[in-house]
Amino acid sequence: MPKFKTHAPAWADFANVAVENLHIHHGLRTPYSDNTKNKMEPVSELDELFARFGGNENNAQFGSVLDAPSRYVPARQLMMAVRLAAAFGGSDTYVKSTHCGALTVIGDIPLEDLALVKETLKRALPHAGWQVVSPDMTDGGLSRTAQDRFGTAIADHIDRIEPVLILQARGVSLPRHSLAIASPILPLPPISRDIVTFYMSVGQHADQIPDRTALRNALPNDDDLSELSTLDVCAALRAPTPRLALGRLDAMIDREAKATGPRLQDFSGETPAIVAARRIVDDLLLWKQGKAGWDEISRSLLLYGPPGTGKTFLARAIGNSAGIAVVNAGFADWQAKGHLGNMLAAMKASFAEARRLAPAALIIDEFDAVGSRSDTDRHAMNYRLQVINSFLGEMDSIAREEGVIVIGTCNHPERIDPALLRAGRLDLKVRVPLPDADAILGILRHHLREDIADGELQILSHLAVGRSAADIDAAIRAARSDARHQRALLSIEMLHEQMGIDITGADDKILWRVAVHEAGHAVVGKALGLGAIDSITVTNSGGQIHRRNVTNENLLSDIEAEITYGLAGRAAERLILGEISAGAGGPAQSDLATATQLAIEIETTLGLGVEGLVWHAKPQIVHLQTPAVRDRVRQRLTRAEQRAEDLLAQHRETLEALARELVGKRSLRTRDVDHLLRGIALQTNAPTVPPCAKTDHQNPM
């Protein structure tokens, strides 16, 4: 048996016992080894017979040495014996599980390993008194009545005093009464460095490993190993030398990563969406390890934002990184099944599939297609009501069970029924903006690390800011097609062409104006204490700034500060460039439109204007038809723009430095912006309440 000099797992001695029992069962050891004596039950006469006539010692009696032993321990049994020993953690827990009245649960067992676990327990950790309970399997999957029969079997065995060992497969939940009386659930540990090191040290490579610590350090990391199944690892390690076995293991992990799709390792940066995704993955891994309860982690997430920002890509990465199954669904797919009955049946089937594969991530695209019961459009209202009510029922049902997280993706969260958005159904709601330079670099590295030098990818990531993840993905495919047709290597120039990137400098004046405009917003926002800047992005076609609002008292001064912020881009252009562009105006979401709307509301609906206590049901009409109101609105806007220009003049050096940084990097995040704005002091008594929401300004230049 292996003796670890360093980093010996706490369960190593107990694993030696389990492996010794397997050797005895398969005739590779005598039943009187010091390692097993008095630690396990007596070995059967059949095992003794196997040991005498099939073991290695007796081979010598016949005067021959075989290239391969006549009896051997099946690889998967050996691997599972080590994992089960690690699950128990040592002999103390095992002994306690054999006492009368004990109820022990081994959880998180993959369905494909359930039969192997039962078989290995009988041979490696046998105990005649155990009442073993496991769910019914049919054709490699759970039977239709598995959950009900599992609960009934547990209840029947609890009536007896014999120790009960429950094998909880993924996708099957424990009855409430068993959770109350069971010891802490022993999760079947995922394959790890310690487990593989021990396995190789007691298996066919035992005599070829002089340094087990070096072997452990040469193995892939635990996160990658945990993605592999028992059969995957045993197949990879079925090699004549440890070096070849490690190479096969690395190759299998690489193929697995490519086959399962994206992982969070492919994403760089600290955007709110990526931070939320990493936190969910960390919580899921803790839950799988038994270190966090299901009710202690976030179990649902809505990713929303403009098309092509990689919402579904990120959702799949969450499931892949957590090592759980991914079930893809969507309202478009459900509705394509036909009439209402078929649509609802397809919806229920997706939720059922997620339960069957649990732990799993159920990804629901076009989440906003569920609609809202408050929609004023009465067309097909009955259909919409039934869809929403059924969907609410499925969401509530799956929220009460362990093992399935729900991730929705959509473009328009405001169209979703409010009942679905509440905590408990959708715990987290996170906006996914267009990727910034760091996020784009992650995408480029994922696809092009073998083709383009990393330094060129870093430059390209800044030049590609403003494009969606889908745009970048499509451009990469088109560039590869160019390379194939030209029978040439993929080049950075091909990528520039397909992304529409002009590196001649012809658009430098436009980019500088956009940068000055967005920098003006940031400087005034800082001076007026309106909340931290999460990110700023500039492209030749416009800019975008994301700001976290602070709560305030909705005083007139608070609203006027927002108007000043909205017009700060125009003011910055006039101050630095001497002439303004139309970039602040245009659509209803533009800076000028938002500022004008706030000024109109002051005069017509908020009771803060010259007329005092008045409220108009149609403020826009009042604004259009009342010259006095129009004049006051225009005066407010003019004063706000002048105030912004005065503030910017005080901090002109900072304004220009921020604009230059934006031109160079195309996108900046909170840390970088805060560093550049650190010298600006508040010009008003700004509120100090923590941020609560976000305001996004998009300026089509």
Side-chain angles (χ1 to χ4, degrees), residues 82-330:
V82 178
R83 293 175 70 183
L84 286 169
F88 279 101
S91 58
D92 290 345
T93 303
Y94 170 82
V95 171
K96 289 178 182 177
S97 73
T98 65
H99 292 165
C100 286
L103 190 149
T104 306
V105 178
I106 298 178
D108 198 29
I109 301 174
L111 287 177
E112 65 270 20
D113 282 340
L114 184 58
L116 178 63
V117 168
K118 295 167 68 174
E119 181 182 28
T120 306
L121 279 169
K122 293 177 184 177
R123 298 177 179 181
L125 299 173
H127 189 271
W130 264 341
Q131 304 295 308
V132 180
V133 183
S134 63
D136 296 336
M137 300 282 289
T138 302
D139 297 328
L142 293 173
S143 68
R144 184 177 301 178
T145 59
Q147 181 65 67
D148 293 338
R149 292 171 64 86
F150 185 58
T152 301
I154 292 175
D156 290 343
H157 284 86
I158 286 178
D159 288 338
R160 309 171 190 173
I161 197 61
E162 292 92 347
V164 178
L165 178 64
I166 299 174
L167 305 181
Q168 182 191 14
R170 293 175 181 174
V172 180
S173 58
L174 291 171
R176 190 179 306 170
H177 57 77
S178 61
L179 285 171
I181 63 175
S183 302
I185 295 176
L186 308 176
L188 183 69
I191 293 170
S192 65
R193 280 181 160 186
D194 285 340
I195 287 173
V196 174
T197 300
F198 193 98
Y199 169 87
M200 294 181 70
S201 300
V202 298
Q204 69 184 73
H205 301 113
D207 297 330
Q208 300 169 277
I209 303 173
D211 187 344
R212 294 183 178 90
T213 300
L215 169 65
R216 184 183 185 279
N217 293 336
L219 287 167
N221 61 54
D222 286 349
D223 287 342
D224 288 334
L225 287 170
S226 68
E227 299 289 335
L228 301 179
S229 68
T230 305
L231 183 58
D232 287 338
V233 175
C234 291
L237 298 180
R238 190 177 181 269
T241 66
R243 182 183 298 276
L244 184 56
L246 292 175
R248 290 180 178 177
L249 198 59
D250 286 334
M252 180 167 286
I253 286 174
D254 186 55
R255 286 196 300 271
E256 178 74 9
K258 292 178 180 177
T260 56
R263 301 188 184 190
L264 287 182
Q265 294 93 314
D266 301 324
F267 294 79
S268 59
E270 299 294 330
T271 66
I274 294 176
V275 170
R278 288 174 179 156
R279 184 166 298 176
I280 287 176
V281 169
D282 289 343
D283 286 346
L284 282 169
L285 293 175
L286 289 173
W287 170 74
K288 289 175 67 177
Q289 296 165 13
K291 298 178 181 179
W294 187 251
D295 58 347
E296 297 175 323
I297 67 175
S298 297
R299 306 182 296 275
S300 52
L301 168 69
L302 179 67
L303 299 171
Y304 65 92
T309 53
K311 298 180 289 295
T312 303
F313 192 78
L314 178 59
R316 290 203 304 268
I318 292 174
N320 293 334
S321 298
I324 60 179
V326 175
V327 177
N328 293 287

